[in-house]
Amino acid sequence: MSGAKYFAKLLEAYGVTHVFFMDAVLRRALAEMEDTSITRILGHTEKGVGYMADGYARVSGKPGICMAQSVGAANLAASLQDPYLGHSPVIAFTGRHVAAMQYRNSYQEVDHHPLFEPVTKFNAQMEVVEQMPHVIRQAFRESTTATPRPAHIDVAGFTGDALTPLEVEFEIAVDQVHTKFPAFRPQPDPIMIQAAVQAIADSKKPIIIADRGAVISGAREALHAFARKIQAPLTVTLDAKALVLEQEPLFRGMVGLYGRSCTNHMIDEADLVIYLGSNTSDHTTANWKLPQPHIKTIQIDIDPVEVGRNYAKCIGIQADVRSSLESLEKACNTQNRDEWLSYTKQLADTWWQEQEVELSRSQMPMRPQRLCRELTKILPKDAILVADTGYSALWTGNLVEMRHPDQLYMRAAGSLGWSFPAAIGAKAAAPNRTVVCFTGDGGFSYHLPELETAKRWGLNVIVIVNNNECLSQGVKNLNIAYGNRPEGRKKECYVYEPTDFAKIAQAFNCFGETVEKPEDFQSAFERALASNLPAVIDVKTEFAYQAQLAWVPA
């Protein structure tokens, strides 16, 4: 068969159902996909298709595929930062001029390798067709093993088609274990399990922090069983929000810089912190102040590089999170910590009482807290909520409650504008589920043309735009930067023109509606659902309203 047919059949054999791409790349392979079950999603920007592949991967549990030609490679590389930071197995293919044309000022090309190096686990060139089976196989192997992260293959030819016309006699050989992630589940060392069991037994005020690695491991049931066995408060990062329903008796909220003040106080007072699938980043630990360095820690992670990275004296368990929790649950004795649980519950309940003023506020313009309350009420039982970075993640992460076990939450790892294309990818992975994107006007503006992509493919996501006509998160630090200077033209740095995103959606033949009153949101959402179209609900909120950040130690 031709290299193009082999490429298409190999991806299909790996379970690939969608390829997200920006023209012009691997056209012969795309043509051969006509005879496969793969859907070819043409986007409008390389970053957009990269984010789609990321959203697809996070929801499907399989690697997401994205592609771009040589001149688009730099844009595609930029899109891999979020899946790299968010631990998502995206495999990117780009074209590059053949070796004979390198170092001669070839048209529209820069060196791709250094662009992809910081945002991939595997960054390879495919110079000859004989490399195709091994290099593609390796990309799947590396992206799904240990901490999932992107891989990149630079294929010879400006559009990657220098090799695809060639005849090959390769076997369609697939490592089934690498068609999904995590590919392997290494078991914990019994000696370290016993050390952790002893530390838990000695502890009077332990607390659990579940992070993205626990989500990847599928550790929901094991997490709950373990927490109930040792009777410890259960907390999560925003990346693990969907693992625990708000009404779970042991749940105490989100931790870190984008978390809840009450939860951070609990971490500060604990005598043992148990990290599950966490890289103990500055966001999770409030710049490594929570917990303090002298507090005992247990850290479970599949990646040995992360175990003990920021807490040198921790009890480290390098293993699959779910398997480790199952082992710990069996080995631990049932504990009784009623006083600690009662105290932490009181902190959590008080925090919710403090939020009630804004959650029930009816004045206009609306504030984001009330929008989150309304979204909680109407969010379908099967919904996938995709939040943008910054305030969008902070608002939804803390105030939109997960009330049903089938609801899923995921947020950007840091890239403004990620959420809308990622939601399109999520909908491709789960076409029968309701996918809701929550973003601001600044974030949504990044990828507006992908409304056409969603409409063309019937990927009917519902976008909620928290439209405050500015980039409000930067206002606080902008005020600090201005200091005692006159305000002058400061608005040039964060204010946008008023934009009617509902009309923009309608211009793309999508559903669009504007909401100003809190009581009108539910009916607008219901109409969006019933429209059977990609939908945009433009919610007018208070200009430059500032989020109250969580308490952290001085």
Side-chain angles (χ1 to χ4, degrees), residues 171-342:
E171 179 186 1
I172 304 292
V174 171
D175 296 327
Q176 287 297 326
V177 71
H178 295 290
T179 61
K180 61 187 187 307
F181 67 100
F184 300 113
R185 294 187 178 275
Q187 300 301 300
D189 183 340
I191 295 176
M192 301 312 298
I193 288 290
Q194 286 305 312
V197 167
Q198 187 62 54
I200 292 167
D202 293 342
S203 170
K204 289 182 170 46
K205 297 189 291 184
I207 197 161
I208 298 167
I209 301 177
D211 205 340
R212 171 73 174 144
V215 177
I216 293 169
S217 180
R220 178 199 288 270
E221 292 182 7
L223 171 63
H224 285 72
F226 172 64
R228 290 166 187 163
K229 184 75 172 284
I230 69 168
Q231 287 291 284
L234 178 53
T235 73
V236 297
T237 65
L238 294 188
D239 290 312
K241 172 181 172 67
L243 284 180
V244 189
L245 301 184
E246 194 68 43
Q247 60 265 36
E248 159 62 41
L250 293 177
F251 185 51
R252 299 294 184 266
M254 270 59 67
V255 304
L257 297 179
Y258 279 7
R260 300 175 182 174
S261 294
C262 60
T263 315
N264 287 348
H265 275 291
M266 298 173 207
I267 304 299
D268 192 48
E269 296 183 42
D271 62 7
L272 175 67
V273 177
I274 305 170
Y275 285 106
L276 307 177
S278 178
N279 61 6
T280 59
S281 71
D282 56 338
H283 244 238
T284 300
T285 64
N287 294 312
W288 304 286
K289 295 176 182 177
L290 292 169
Q292 297 291 343
H294 67 277
I295 298 299
K296 289 183 179 180
T297 59
I298 297 170
Q299 186 175 357
I300 303 172
D301 201 276
I302 199 170
D303 189 344
V305 174
E306 296 301 338
V307 176
R309 180 193 287 271
N310 292 316
Y311 293 93
K313 297 180 181 179
C314 81
I315 297 170
I317 301 175
Q318 188 265 311
D320 173 66
V321 173
R322 188 177 78 190
S323 300
S324 299
L325 287 174
E326 291 169 348
S327 296
L328 281 171
E329 193 270 332
K330 290 178 183 177
C332 285
N333 293 322
T334 301
Q335 307 288 322
N336 186 332
R337 296 190 171 94
D338 289 345
E339 185 176 347
W340 174 231
L341 290 177
S342 176

Side-chain angles (χ1 to χ4, degrees), residues 40-110:
R40 301 157 294 183
I41 304 287
L42 168 65
H44 287 271
T45 68
E46 291 85 7
K47 283 186 73 175
V49 299
Y51 294 159
M52 290 176 202
D54 185 9
Y56 172 91
R58 296 193 200 194
V59 170
S60 70
K62 303 188 295 186
I65 308 298
C66 57
M67 308 194 305
Q69 65 166 311
S70 177
V71 73
N75 294 332
L76 193 62
S79 78
L80 296 189
Q81 175 173 286
D82 215 271
Y84 183 86
L85 296 174
H87 303 168
S88 180
V90 172
I91 301 176
F93 292 89
T94 55
R96 63 186 297 272
H97 281 292
V98 295
M101 297 180 67
Q102 296 296 321
Y103 317 114
R104 302 180 70 180
N105 297 324
S106 293
Y107 180 58
Q108 295 184 336
E109 184 161 296
V110 297

Side-chain angles (χ1 to χ4, degrees), residues 353-367:
Q353 292 165 10
E354 292 168 351
Q355 307 311 306
E356 189 59 34
V357 172
E358 291 297 339
L359 288 169
S360 58
R361 181 182 182 273
S362 58
Q363 295 95 323
M364 294 192 302
M366 201 186 313
R367 286 180 176 170

Side-chain angles (χ1 to χ4, degrees), residues 237-546:
T237 65
L238 294 188
D239 290 312
K241 172 181 172 67
L243 284 180
V244 189
L245 301 184
E246 194 68 43
Q247 60 265 36
E248 159 62 41
L250 293 177
F251 185 51
R252 299 294 184 266
M254 270 59 67
V255 304
L257 297 179
Y258 279 7
R260 300 175 182 174
S261 294
C262 60
T263 315
N264 287 348
H265 275 291
M266 298 173 207
I267 304 299
D268 192 48
E269 296 183 42
D271 62 7
L272 175 67
V273 177
I274 305 170
Y275 285 106
L276 307 177
S278 178
N279 61 6
T280 59
S281 71
D282 56 338
H283 244 238
T284 300
T285 64
N287 294 312
W288 304 286
K289 295 176 182 177
L290 292 169
Q292 297 291 343
H294 67 277
I295 298 299
K296 289 183 179 180
T297 59
I298 297 170
Q299 186 175 357
I300 303 172
D301 201 276
I302 199 170
D303 189 344
V305 174
E306 296 301 338
V307 176
R309 180 193 287 271
N310 292 316
Y311 293 93
K313 297 180 181 179
C314 81
I315 297 170
I317 301 175
Q318 188 265 311
D320 173 66
V321 173
R322 188 177 78 190
S323 300
S324 299
L325 287 174
E326 291 169 348
S327 296
L328 281 171
E329 193 270 332
K330 290 178 183 177
C332 285
N333 293 322
T334 301
Q335 307 288 322
N336 186 332
R337 296 190 171 94
D338 289 345
E339 185 176 347
W340 174 231
L341 290 177
S342 176
Y343 172 68
T344 55
K345 186 177 187 303
Q346 183 179 7
L347 289 179
D349 290 346
T350 301
W351 183 87
W352 273 114
Q353 292 165 10
E354 292 168 351
Q355 307 311 306
E356 189 59 34
V357 172
E358 291 297 339
L359 288 169
S360 58
R361 181 182 182 273
S362 58
Q363 295 95 323
M364 294 192 302
M366 201 186 313
R367 286 180 176 170
Q369 296 99 315
R370 180 62 189 273
L371 175 56
C372 289
R373 164 66 63 84
E374 296 305 311
L375 181 56
T376 296
K377 293 177 184 177
I378 196 66
L379 196 66
K381 293 180 180 180
D382 70 339
I384 300 170
L385 179 56
V386 184
D388 218 282
T389 192
Y391 275 1
S392 291
L394 191 153
W395 296 124
T396 57
N398 287 290
L399 297 174
V400 176
E401 300 174 43
M402 298 287 103
R403 294 180 173 177
H404 303 281
D406 290 334
Q407 289 176 337
L408 177 64
Y409 177 87
M410 58 188 193
R411 57 120 180 193
S415 302
L416 187 61
W418 170 89
S419 60
F420 177 43
I424 293 174
K427 186 68 174 178
N432 297 321
R433 296 180 66 175
T434 305
V435 178
V436 180
C437 167
F438 189 105
T439 184
D441 49 315
F444 187 46
S445 296
Y446 265 71
H447 297 288
L448 281 174
E450 303 301 352
L451 280 167
E452 188 278 333
T453 307
K455 173 65 170 59
R456 177 167 24 102
W457 282 102
L459 298 170
N460 299 330
V461 303
I462 299 175
V463 181
I464 299 169
V465 183
N466 175 36
N467 189 353
N468 59 9
E469 300 180 0
C470 69
L471 293 174
S472 59
Q473 189 168 0
V475 172
K476 178 181 178 181
N477 288 329
L478 190 59
N479 289 338
I480 293 171
Y482 261 69
N484 296 323
R485 291 174 57 91
E487 185 154 319
R489 302 191 312 275
K490 183 170 64 176
K491 288 188 175 181
E492 292 176 356
C493 300
Y494 71 99
V495 178
Y496 291 123
E497 280 284 302
T499 302
D500 190 333
F501 290 103
K503 284 186 177 179
I504 292 173
Q506 293 163 10
F508 278 98
N509 297 315
C510 298
F511 175 91
E513 186 167 334
T514 298
V515 170
E516 295 185 0
K517 300 177 182 178
E519 58 268 25
D520 292 340
F521 179 78
Q522 179 172 337
S523 58
F525 190 92
E526 290 170 349
R527 285 189 288 273
L529 267 178
S531 72
N532 199 31
L533 291 168
V536 175
I537 304 175
D538 185 350
V539 184
K540 306 299 186 183
T541 57
E542 184 174 323
F543 174 76
Y545 183 74
Q546 298 292 288

